[in-house]
Amino acid sequence: MNRPVLHLHIGAMKTGTTYLQEMMIANRDALAEAGFVFAGSGWSRQVRAVQDLLRLDQHDPQIAALSEGAWDELVAEIHGRRDAASLMSMEFLSFTRRRAMARVVQDLEGVDVHVVLTVRDVTAAIPAQWQTSITSTRTHTWEEFQRGVQRSASRLWLGHAMRGDTAVREFRRAQDIARMLRTWGRLVPPDRLTVVTVPRERRDPDELWQRFSTAIGVDPAVATEPPAASNPSLGHASAELVRRLNLTLEGTLPWDYNRTVKAPLAQRFLGARRKLEEPARLDAATAAFAADWNRTTREAILASGAQVVGDLDDLPTEPAPAAPGAGEGPGPAAVLDAARDAWTGLTTLQERRRRRIARLTKQPRPEPLDVPTPAWFEEGDSDAALDRAVDDLTGLVRALMRLRREMMEASADDPDDPDEGDDANGADDTDGGP
């Protein structure tokens, strides 16, 4: 191998990126033996490198310190590898604009780069993206988000975004495939730009991996280990609960938020409720928008000359029929059910963090806190009870954030002490969401 090779996965948001990343991580050794090395000491280093490149969440001192110099470090590793191809997968790269792309082009000069862009039917991506935005501190309701998405097709969309319509900005940044193709087309020619469509039907759970493997040129059978983790979706009621919490947590730094709200609360405690809750569903107007957007995306893919693995029919151009109650939010009863599970999970986490701090500081194991069951557990399912639940959960979340900071201070004095894992989750490392 005369020149270094990089297979760069820049998947659009909510296109199976977590699944593909976890497949590569779980099968890292086997892929390396096949000539494909997952770059960095771990996937978090790829996250930090992209945060450094795109200056994501640099107002958070913890993230700024962790990401400083990470892009240059990863680029140096890629340039130095001549015995195998490097693999990199980070969906935030889909946000890249001209200024950052100029640096990418310069820094990867001399590397044979192959870009893979995963693309999904936005009928499925829109509710998933709303949910992701909510677990990244946003506060727009499902109805507001859908209206913003529809405005994304307007010629005046940039004006809406400049006036504070976060839904418009987030959707265009995360799902504007035409822009991504133009941007990354500055780095690679069409024969090294591949679009992988996410299968609409998941009859074969490995089909997306098989398509991705084809795109990078590795035998999919090399990967024998299943993904070690997942990025669970939330039901509508749980997402609404997190949204209401966000209103009370405004100004929280991403590191604190991700380590208490995003990872343990949303992904673990509330993610476990997914089968108990109705998902967020598109209303008729958003479904029609999604079909039109898919059509525009298909045209952009064909015009780019990119290679296609999969089927453009995975991007349907006819609106899906709206389900009864589509576009509506959950009532207080459903959100209170989620709040009860959230309270139970967070109080358990509180005890775990208290014990962790005592262990790190060589203190006696603390007595369990006597936390009374809140009155709203037994009250009627009213808006007033839900407001009280959100107030109580906010206080508990803030207490947990303080405990987390104490844990970090104590760990600094004992660097060999392993991470407790109370909120360790691969997705938690993606600070700085859409």
Side-chain angles (χ1 to χ4, degrees):
M1 188 178 295
N2 296 322
R3 287 161 56 97
V5 174
L6 170 64
H7 295 281
L8 187 60
H9 176 215
I10 62 166
M13 294 289 289
K14 315 316 299 181
T15 59
T17 51
T18 300
Y19 163 76
L20 292 173
Q21 289 151 2
E22 292 295 344
M23 281 292 289
M24 285 183 271
I25 292 167
N27 294 278
R28 188 169 184 166
D29 291 344
L31 286 168
E33 289 180 8
F36 295 81
V37 175
F38 196 72
S41 56
W43 183 64
S44 63
R45 294 312 298 163
Q46 297 191 13
V47 176
R48 302 305 175 201
V50 177
Q51 287 173 328
D52 183 26
L53 170 69
L54 302 183
R55 314 305 296 165
L56 295 175
D57 281 332
Q58 296 301 303
H59 63 283
D60 186 320
Q62 186 73 30
I63 294 174
L66 287 169
S67 62
E68 183 178 5
W71 172 254
D72 287 341
E73 178 184 297
L74 198 69
V75 167
E77 177 187 329
I78 292 166
H79 275 284
R81 179 169 291 118
R82 302 299 177 97
D83 58 340
S86 297
L87 291 175
M88 183 175 178
S89 174
M90 220 291 94
E91 56 268 33
F92 294 172
L93 284 168
S94 64
F95 304 161
T96 306
R97 299 283 183 167
R98 284 194 172 191
R99 182 175 299 177
M101 180 52 65
R103 181 179 177 187
V104 173
V105 170
Q106 176 180 329
D107 290 350
L108 293 180
E109 185 177 359
V111 178
D112 288 339
V113 182
H114 300 252
V115 173
V116 179
L117 174 61
T118 42
V119 178
R120 183 184 184 189
D121 171 17
V122 292
T123 301
I126 289 169
Q129 192 179 336
W130 173 68
Q131 183 185 114
T132 294
S133 76
I134 294 304
T135 57
S136 299
T137 76
R138 303 298 188 265
T139 59
H140 34 229
T141 66
W142 174 228
E143 294 83 354
E144 291 167 344
F145 188 78
Q146 288 186 98
R147 289 196 294 272
V149 166
Q150 292 168 40
R151 286 191 286 270
S152 297
S154 165
R155 292 178 181 272
L156 303 176
W157 70 269
L158 183 57
H160 290 297
M162 295 293 288
R163 289 192 294 272
D165 192 329
T166 55
V168 171
R169 176 177 176 269
E170 289 174 13
F171 182 81
R172 292 292 301 222
R173 182 163 74 154
Q175 300 298 332
D176 190 347
I177 303 301
R179 174 187 57 77
M180 296 174 200
L181 291 167
R182 289 194 303 271
T183 299
W184 289 93
R186 298 180 61 201
L187 178 66
V188 296
D191 64 339
R192 286 196 271 131
L193 176 61
T194 303
V195 169
V196 173
T197 61
V198 176
R200 289 180 66 194
E201 302 293 336
R202 297 296 183 92
R203 296 187 183 92
D204 181 355
D206 296 327
E207 186 173 357
L208 178 57
W209 171 250
Q210 291 165 4
R211 293 182 180 186
F212 181 79
S213 300
T214 299
I216 66 174
V218 66
D219 182 355
V222 165
T224 58
E225 296 296 322
S230 63
N231 191 8
S233 59
L234 297 183
H236 198 162
S238 288
E240 174 60 15
L241 174 65
V242 176
R243 188 193 72 81
R244 289 173 181 250
L245 281 172
N246 291 346
L247 290 167
T248 69
L249 295 169
E250 188 175 2
T252 302
L253 290 174
W255 182 267
D256 288 332
Y257 182 91
N258 291 346
R259 298 285 168 162
T260 295
V261 179
K262 182 175 183 176
L265 174 57
Q267 294 179 343
R268 191 181 332 148
F269 305 142
L270 296 178
R273 294 179 48 84
R274 180 171 56 90
K275 294 182 179 180
L276 303 176
E277 299 178 353
E278 290 293 322
R281 301 183 189 279
L282 302 185
D283 60 25
T286 310
F289 164 88
D292 286 341
W293 192 267
N294 282 343
R295 182 179 297 106
T296 300
T297 297
R298 289 170 65 154
E299 292 169 355
I301 293 169
L302 292 171
S304 72
Q307 317 304 301
V308 177
V309 178
D311 193 334
L312 290 183
D313 286 342
D314 289 320
L315 311 177
T317 58
E318 292 297 324
E328 298 176 4
V335 184
L336 275 165
D337 277 346
R340 294 181 185 104
D341 281 354
W343 180 266
T344 300
L346 290 176
T347 52
T348 300
L349 180 60
Q350 185 179 37
E351 289 303 313
R352 192 176 301 150
R353 289 187 176 178
R354 291 177 68 243
R355 292 195 301 269
R356 169 74 167 165
I357 292 168
R359 190 161 62 248
L360 288 169
T361 57
K362 308 292 193 294
Q363 299 297 316
R365 184 185 180 98
E367 292 294 325
L369 291 174
D370 182 14
V371 181
T373 301
W376 48 267
F377 259 65
E378 305 299 333
E379 290 179 4
D381 297 325
S382 66
D383 288 325
L386 179 53
D387 289 342
R388 285 190 286 275
V390 170
D391 286 344
D392 285 349
L393 285 167
T394 298
L396 182 53
V397 165
R398 291 193 183 281
L400 281 161
M401 289 178 179
R402 289 192 293 271
L403 288 172
R404 176 73 195 189
R405 287 193 289 273
E406 289 182 38
M407 283 171 52
M408 291 174 62
E409 292 171 2
S411 294
D413 296 329
D414 188 4
D416 294 328
D417 194 273
D419 184 31
E420 173 192 27
D422 65 19
D423 45 16
N425 182 302
D428 176 48
D429 282 323
T430 57
D431 314 292

